[in-house]
Amino acid sequence: MPQSILVVEDDESIREMLRYYFKSVGYEVRSYESGEAMFQGEEGQGCPVLCILDIMLPGMDGLEILRRLRTDRDRSKVPVILLTARTAEMDRVAGLEAGADDYVVKPFGIMELQARVKAVLRRTQREGESRLIRYEDLEIDPAARVVRRAGTVVELTFKEFELLKLLASHRGVALTRDEILQSVWDYDYTGETRTVDMHVKTLRQKLGEEYITTVRGVGYKMS
């Protein structure tokens, strides 16, 4: 299941360069030429692992997009790198104060951007690994590998915990059985997809039926 990077850039040549590069290193890329197009196109899409925003955009600028992302319940924690031709210190400060994770000045080399992206993703991944995940009355603690329901600890096996964490981290996204197998049991796993069904069944027995929804013909999700 490839991770997604979101790109908003009105310069078509830069947008296509970024799309081509990130696809070449294994990411899914969703690219837009404006903030309005992005918010319309992202309805119903899964949460990206990173957003790359140009500041100087027609209509809604990159800072306004950033502010809206930071107030969005599902996307508020997505790391953001700003791209801009501006070099004034106040522009950099405004971007960082609005919640940007990094700031790259145009023109830039792809290797520089690659290094910045890797650094941001490493940092946010470390933070994400220790961040509590809350869903209704469930509390998932990745660092301690503990799950509580209404304050009571629920004993899960290693794979049950990984499966629950995966679904909770992608709330609202229907994951196929193959995607779940690849993420939880790794890409070389040779088992059958009924393994996923069996683990979902035991999770429902331990947590309750209401948390994990079966998406007919697709797989599972937590709404």
Side-chain angles (χ1 to χ4, degrees), residues 38-207:
M38 185 211 77
F39 283 110
Q40 182 177 359
E42 286 298 294
E43 290 184 6
Q45 295 279 10
C47 199
V49 296
L50 176 72
C51 293
I52 298 178
L53 307 176
D54 185 22
I55 286 186
M56 298 183 67
L57 292 168
M60 185 187 307
D61 66 19
L63 292 178
E64 179 58 28
I65 297 172
L66 175 58
R67 293 186 187 100
R68 289 183 59 173
L69 289 174
R70 290 296 178 248
T71 60
D72 183 281
R73 185 188 68 178
D74 296 324
R75 290 171 168 77
S76 62
K77 301 298 184 182
V78 174
V80 172
I81 295 177
L82 295 177
L83 303 178
T84 183
R86 297 176 177 175
T87 57
E89 181 180 3
M90 287 307 298
D91 293 324
R92 295 196 294 273
V93 170
L96 295 172
E97 287 186 343
D101 295 88
D102 206 347
Y103 189 106
V104 179
V105 177
K106 299 177 183 177
F108 57 86
I110 196 66
M111 299 305 292
E112 176 193 2
L113 181 63
Q114 178 189 42
R116 299 288 189 93
V117 166
K118 286 183 176 180
V120 167
L121 290 179
R122 279 197 303 268
R123 183 169 68 248
T124 55
Q125 183 178 19
R126 287 195 300 269
E127 293 170 353
E129 287 173 351
S130 61
R131 187 181 302 129
L132 290 176
I133 303 171
R134 291 185 173 88
Y135 175 71
E136 296 185 358
D137 62 348
L138 289 182
E139 182 181 272
I140 304 166
D141 186 341
R145 299 191 66 81
V146 171
V147 174
R148 295 180 178 85
R149 180 187 178 190
T152 301
V153 174
V154 180
E155 296 294 336
L156 300 182
T157 67
F158 182 87
K159 292 301 185 184
E160 288 168 355
F161 183 89
E162 291 298 307
L163 173 56
L164 180 63
K165 184 177 72 170
L166 175 69
L167 293 171
S169 299
H170 294 78
R171 288 194 301 276
V173 179
L175 301 177
T176 68
R177 291 170 175 84
D178 286 333
E179 289 173 335
I180 294 171
L181 274 174
Q182 291 171 356
S183 295
V184 176
W185 280 267
D186 81 44
Y187 286 94
D188 298 323
Y189 184 73
T190 57
E192 299 179 1
T193 55
R194 66 170 177 244
T195 300
V196 176
D197 299 331
M198 293 174 61
H199 279 74
V200 168
K201 181 179 179 180
T202 60
L203 278 176
R204 285 171 169 165
Q205 290 171 347
K206 293 180 178 182
L207 299 173

Side-chain angles (χ1 to χ4, degrees), residues 18-29:
L18 295 177
R19 188 184 66 83
Y20 176 82
Y21 169 71
F22 286 116
K23 286 188 68 175
S24 74
V25 294
Y27 289 98
E28 175 191 356
V29 181

